[in-house]
Structure formats: C-alpha cells, structure tokens
Amino acid sequence: MQLDTILSVNDLWVNYGTKIAVESVSYDVQEGDLVGVVGANGSGKSSMFKAILGLLPHRGTVSLFGRAFHRDLLRSVGYVPQKISFEPMFPATVFDVVAMALTRATLTPTDRRHGIVDSDMSNSEKVMKCLNIVRMWGLRHRRIGALSGGELQRVFIAQSLVRNPSLLIMDEPAVGLDVKSQKLFYSIMQEANSEYGITMIVSLHNMDVVKEYSNKVVCMNRTLAFHGKTSDFFADEKLLGLCTEYKLQDRPHPHEHSHEA
Amino acid sequence: MLEILEYSFIQRALISGIAISTICSMVGCFLVMRRYALFGDGIAHVAFGGVAVGLFMGIIPFWSAFVVSILGSLGLQKMQNSKVSGEVAVAVTLVSGLSVGVILTSIAGGFTLDLFSFLFGSIILVSTNDMITILSISGVVALVIILLYRRLLFITFNAELARVSGIRVTLLNYLFAVLAAITVVVAMRLTGILLITALIVLPTLSASKFNRGFKGTMIISAAISSSSVISGIFISYLLDWAPSGTIVALLVLSMVGVYTSYMIMGRLFR
C-alpha cells in the first residue's frame, strides 16, 4: 500500500550567523512512521525541528502533507519542545492549559483519517480524552506551576493531541525524567502512534528506546548521516558510533575532564 | 455619608473609575503573566510626551497622548520582536517619551495645571463627555479581549507553542500592545501617569493568590481594583486627600492583606 508523505524536507540549511547548524538535510517521513531522530548534542536536531515548524529562518524547502509549507498547515502539527518556559505563578490548572489550545485559529481540519478526538465532541470531552490518554485526568485541577517535569511533559503532549494532529514533533521529550516517568512517557508515545495513527518525529538520546519504538531513524551530524529503517541503522556499528559520539572531544565543555578514546 | 452619591461629579468619578479599573485588570493579568509588568509604566511616560505635545500644539492632550501612546506601544512591540529584552525595550521607550515631554514642557514655559492633572490623575474632574469617552473606549477594549481571550491566553502562556499551533502571534501581539496603550491613556484620568502601574500590577498580584484560574484571577482582580477605586473616592472626598494616591494606597494595602493572609493560612494548614 502506498503511504502518504507527511513531511518532506529538501536541502534544509540553518545558520546562526556564520555558524552552520544544519547543512543540506533532505528526507521524507511517511504516514504512520515513528521516526527517532538521533545525534549528539549540537548536531542540529532542535534547529532542524524549529526550521521545519517555521520558527527559525532557513534555506531549502519543507512540505507538509504534500503541500509547500504554510502557517495554516501547522494546525495539523503538534509540537512538544525540549523546554517550555512559562510564568510559574501562571493561574491555570492542567485542564485550562490543555483547553487553551482549542481556539478556532488552532483547530485541525476535520478530514482526518485518524484522530484522537471527534469533531462532534465538546471541548471538555476532548480535553478529558487527551488527559486520560496521558494519565493526567486525576490531576486536572492541579495548578500547572505545581507539576513535576514528567507531569508537565504529559500535559504538553495532551495539549498537542487535543488539536487532533496528524504529525507530532517532540524534541528530547524525556530528558530529565526519572526512569518510571520515561517508561510511562514512551508507552504514551507508542499508543498515540499505533492506536491513533499519529505520525511522530521524536529526538531521542537513548538508543534502546530508538531500537524498541521507532521504525525509522534520522541521524543528524549537522548534515544527514543516515535516514532509513531502524534495523539498517543498528546494523551499522560505525554509523551508530558516529552519531552518538559526534566530535565530543571538539565541543566546548563547561566542566573540566577529558574524553579519552 | 451616602449623600455624597447625590453629587453628579462623584457619580461620574465612580462610573468612570470602575470602567477603568476593570480594563486595567483585564490587560494587567496578561501583562503580569507575560513578565511585562512595566509595560504600562513605559507607555505612561510616552503618554506624558503625548500630553506635552497636545498642550504645546493646542490639541486636546487626551487625544495627542492617545495617538503618541499607540505609536509608542507599536515601537515597544517591534523592539521585542527584534529580540530586545522586555525591560530594555520599556527603558528605551520610557526615557524617550519622558525626554520629549520635558523638552516641550520647558519650551511651553513650565508645568501647568493641565499637566499636573495628567501626572497625578483627576478622576473627580471627569465631565459627562469624558465619562462617555472612557466608557466607550473601555467597552471596546473589554470586547476585543473577550473575543480574543483564548488566543491571548495561549500566547501569554507560551508564544512559541501558540505560534506552532497556527495562531498569528506577531499580529496579536501588536494588537494587544495597542489595547494596552489605549488602556493606559484612559487610566491616566484615574491615577495619573506616575501611578498607573499600580492599577495594572497590584490587583493581579493580589488576585493570583486566590488560585482561581486565569479568568477567575481577572474577575477577582477587577473586583479588588473596583473596590479600591470606590473606597478611595469616598475616603479622598471625606478626608480631602488626593484620590489617585488614596486609591493606590488601598491597592497596596489589599495586596499586603492578601499576601499576609495567604502566609498565615499556609502555616495553619501546613
């Protein structure tokens, strides 16, 4: 069966002044894929995500759902950034934070083949369903500033899901979470992909997680070092080493120690 | 004591004061939660420049301040879009407006009674026409905020997430800056340029302790602010104090009271 191309990145470049963060990256993502994006810190993963989402100036083209990038297409895209900053005394509960994504400006077109929420559901029902999926319904009245890191990540996933996205991009979503929270997080990620058909692009550091959950791998090394099936990626030890240890010795370190080979 | 309600100037002051305090609370909630509490102060000083332009050129100062403040707010927002930090942008805007005001005032031969009334407020002197203008402008500001409530809320919580969700963040930020500038100009009549920040910041800080969500915080903030305005006008009339100072002193006392109660309750139920 021919699957639709959800995302197509073609010759993407991102610069910060004279420093090149992403260099000529091209790949496609098909419907239903769970793509693990790997690469050492500073390899351009976050810059690539932000360029795809139109948050960073870039060269090259990005197509979403077979159409050239346009702001309105983002209505069908969910995004969970690496770190979300907000005013700690922000007077909103978990429920409020998820519900605030439900404005007419953000709602996804209803012609989705798959979906977490139905268009005939009330806003409260949509929020309830998404909070149940991320196991946060019990904490719906909790003030957002009072949540732990793992709980916050789950709320932001629910906030993305409530708009019924076709594509969900997550940038190192499990960093800083304890083992139990990570496990819960990955099971939610898999459920959203397999049960609700949401295509996912997730940057991950843990290679065991990549192996277990993703069907495709994008390996960043500022340029695109690899794009293909997960099994092919793990079959190539040299590639695996390149992507995870990318020039570690050459990168600036805030701490004093050496990286012996 | 209630016979003072029979005076039409007190009635006008109360009606205008409640309208102003309500929109200041609405705008203030968004500004404080955006960590942009001093936006009002920056725009108020630009408004001072606008008032001086009006007095210098023989235009009604309210309207010259209105136009200059809107332009100042757009400039402030433009600086923010260019990655200039909020406090730096406010500082630049504040001193620019103030310098224009001081120069024009000195050319015009010093401070006049009109200028003093804009610096320290003159809610008691509000005419029927002023009251109608204040009510109309407040109504428009409140209506736009109600219509765009969810979008503004999402942007205030996290602009990046809102942008990725398809919300026109830049456009709405400019629109909100204009709404905030209009609010500041209208509020000049109540507390004056020098005390405007109190109306925008203090009630929101007090209300945020009640833990009643964003909308609830806005409503409680408006209630605290309106009560302080009503009490302030009564007290200032009875004791012959300046209304603006009295209102702001009551807002400070409310905040101290709320924070103290919050601390005591926290210790009792720990």
Side-chain angles (χ1 to χ4, degrees):
Chain A
M1 190 178 75
Q2 181 68 41
L3 292 171
D4 291 341
T5 301
I6 295 285
L7 169 71
S8 185
V9 178
N10 191 16
D11 195 22
L12 188 77
W13 290 71
V14 179
N15 295 23
Y16 294 103
T18 53
K19 190 191 164 219
I20 298 170
V22 177
E23 183 180 337
S24 189
V25 168
S26 304
Y27 62 90
D28 289 346
V29 174
Q30 309 300 324
E31 185 180 10
D33 278 349
L34 198 164
V35 181
V37 179
V38 298
N41 290 335
S43 60
K45 301 187 297 291
S46 298
S47 299
M48 178 186 71
F49 286 153
K50 289 192 171 183
I52 289 171
L53 294 163
L55 295 172
L56 273 182
H58 59 271
R59 281 185 289 145
T61 56
V62 174
S63 302
L64 285 165
F65 317 111
R67 294 164 67 189
F69 180 86
H70 186 271
R71 193 178 46 83
D72 287 347
L73 295 173
L74 290 176
R75 290 181 183 194
S76 301
V77 180
Y79 174 51
V80 181
Q82 197 173 346
K83 193 167 182 259
I84 298 172
S85 63
F86 60 90
E87 168 57 49
M89 64 180 235
F90 197 92
T93 61
V94 165
F95 189 97
D96 297 336
V97 169
V98 177
M100 73 172 66
L102 290 168
T103 76
R104 245 186 301 168
T106 61
L107 288 183
T108 311
T110 50
D111 57 351
R112 288 278 324 278
R113 262 181 272 171
H114 306 288
I116 282 188
V117 292
D118 298 328
S119 52
D120 55 352
M121 279 179 165
S122 69
N123 281 355
S124 296
E125 285 170 333
K126 289 177 183 175
V127 174
M128 184 172 82
K129 179 153 189 198
C130 292
L131 282 175
N132 272 321
I133 289 170
V134 298
R135 286 66 152 176
M136 284 295 287
W137 178 247
L139 294 179
R140 64 190 177 280
H141 297 306
R142 180 79 56 94
R143 199 180 167 118
I144 190 75
L147 297 181
S148 70
E151 289 164 345
L152 270 178
Q153 282 298 56
R154 284 189 272 150
V155 172
F156 292 126
I157 292 173
Q159 195 191 51
S160 289
L161 296 179
V162 82
R163 294 190 294 109
N164 219 12
S166 299
L167 171 65
L168 182 57
I169 296 176
M170 296 195 277
D171 190 1
E172 300 193 18
V175 164
L177 305 189
D178 58 42
V179 176
K180 194 178 160 197
S181 301
Q182 282 191 22
K183 214 171 161 188
L184 177 59
F185 178 83
Y186 294 130
S187 69
I188 291 166
M189 180 177 84
Q190 193 180 35
E191 184 182 338
N193 176 250
S194 57
E195 282 194 30
Y196 300 105
I198 297 172
T199 306
M200 290 199 175
I201 308 175
V202 190
S203 69
L204 298 163
H205 271 301
N206 187 332
M207 289 298 143
D208 293 333
V209 173
V210 176
K211 204 171 192 174
E212 186 176 348
Y213 294 100
S214 63
N215 67 322
K216 302 262 180 69
V217 170
V218 163
C219 179
M220 292 290 293
N221 182 356
R222 194 176 74 182
T223 58
L224 184 70
F226 175 85
H227 171 233
K229 287 183 183 169
T230 306
S231 53
D232 294 343
F233 176 73
F234 282 95
D236 190 337
E237 281 186 23
K238 197 176 155 194
L239 190 63
L240 191 60
L242 171 77
C243 288
T244 52
E245 298 296 329
Y246 166 65
K247 286 184 179 174
L248 197 57
Q249 290 87 339
D250 297 342
R251 309 200 73 76
H253 277 58
H255 50 274
E256 287 181 13
H257 72 142
S258 61
H259 294 274
E260 304 289 324
Chain B
M1 189 180 127
L2 287 175
E3 74 270 7
I4 69 167
L5 285 174
E6 289 168 14
Y7 297 119
S8 57
F9 71 93
I10 292 284
Q11 291 168 2
R12 290 195 297 269
L14 287 172
I15 292 168
S16 305
I18 290 168
I20 292 168
S21 55
T22 303
I23 57 164
C24 279
S25 290
M26 293 175 89
V27 168
C29 267
F30 288 108
L31 286 176
V32 170
M33 296 307 157
R34 285 177 186 211
R35 300 170 188 172
Y36 212 15
L38 288 178
F39 179 94
D41 213 26
I43 293 303
H45 285 77
V46 172
F48 171 73
V51 167
V53 168
L55 292 173
F56 181 73
M57 297 177 69
I59 307 167
I60 297 172
F62 177 84
W63 293 110
S64 57
F66 194 84
V67 173
V68 171
S69 299
I70 287 176
L71 293 175
S73 70
L74 293 174
L76 223 164
Q77 190 55 48
K78 176 72 186 161
M79 274 193 274
Q80 277 235 299
N81 293 349
S82 314
K83 306 290 177 204
V84 177
S85 79
E87 57 188 22
V88 172
V90 166
V92 171
T93 313
L94 189 149
V95 292
S96 308
L98 202 54
S99 65
V100 171
V102 170
I103 291 168
L104 290 180
T105 306
S106 67
I107 294 172
F111 286 86
T112 62
L113 186 63
D114 268 356
L115 197 56
F116 265 109
S117 76
F118 281 104
L119 283 176
F120 299 105
S122 55
I123 195 70
I124 297 297
L125 302 178
V126 163
S127 67
T128 305
N129 278 344
D130 291 340
M131 185 183 75
I132 291 169
T133 306
I134 289 169
L135 287 178
S136 311
I137 294 174
S138 302
V140 171
V141 170
L143 185 67
V144 175
I145 289 177
I146 289 166
L147 289 176
L148 297 173
Y149 175 76
R150 275 233 167 118
R151 291 172 213 206
L152 292 174
L153 180 66
F154 202 175
I155 294 170
T156 302
F157 182 71
N158 189 289
E160 191 178 64
L161 285 180
R163 194 183 296 276
V164 172
S165 305
I167 291 176
R168 300 172 78 107
V169 173
T170 308
L171 181 71
L172 285 172
N173 274 341
Y174 276 117
L175 178 62
F176 183 74
V178 170
L179 290 177
I182 293 171
T183 303
V184 166
V185 176
V186 172
M188 279 193 316
R189 293 310 298 263
L190 184 57
T191 59
I193 288 162
L194 297 176
L195 290 171
I196 249 163
T197 305
L199 271 185
I200 290 175
V201 177
L202 298 182
T204 299
L205 288 178
S206 305
S208 68
K209 287 290 173 198
F210 287 82
N211 207 7
R212 285 288 177 273
F214 200 91
K215 213 178 279 179
T217 302
M218 221 181 236
I219 292 166
I220 294 169
S221 169
I224 291 171
S225 192
S226 299
S227 320
S228 301
V229 167
I230 295 166
S231 320
I233 289 172
F234 270 84
I235 292 170
S236 65
Y237 177 80
L238 293 172
L239 301 178
D240 200 20
W241 289 356
S244 58
T246 312
I247 291 166
V248 174
L250 288 172
L251 287 172
V252 173
L253 282 176
S254 311
M255 198 191 77
V256 171
V258 168
Y259 271 67
T260 310
S261 314
Y262 186 79
M263 255 167 46
I264 293 169
M265 299 277 270
R267 287 199 181 155
L268 284 176
F269 298 104
R270 190 182 288 167

